[in-house]
Amino acid sequence: MLADPRWATPAARLPYKDEFDAQFLPWLVERDRAEVFRVCQAEGVMCAPILTIDEAFQDPQLAF
């Protein structure tokens, strides 16, 4: 999918949203947040986990 120009940008994906969701969502729901983050980082996909409020307050990067 990374090499397919239909998925290259958010704007390019928009006309193919249903097809993208059909391919991506099953993969996504089979993995936990940490694994998705590791795989995306390894492939150069910009992403970040969405933290709960408690997790955000405990995250060392957000400590002040």
Side-chain angles (χ1 to χ4, degrees):
M1 288 179 78
L2 294 174
D4 190 324
R6 293 177 299 170
W7 320 126
T9 67
R13 283 191 292 274
L14 194 55
Y16 307 101
K17 181 186 179 317
D18 292 338
E19 185 179 341
F20 181 82
D21 288 350
Q23 292 184 45
F24 182 63
L25 291 178
W27 178 86
L28 186 64
V29 299
E30 292 174 356
R31 288 155 179 83
D32 65 22
R33 183 175 53 182
E35 182 179 0
V36 170
F37 182 65
R38 280 192 307 273
V39 170
C40 288
Q41 290 290 290
E43 294 297 328
V45 175
M46 228 185 333
C47 71
I50 298 173
L51 303 177
T52 66
I53 292 172
D54 289 339
E55 290 169 332
F57 279 111
Q58 295 171 14
D59 191 310
Q61 289 184 322
L62 301 176
F64 45 117

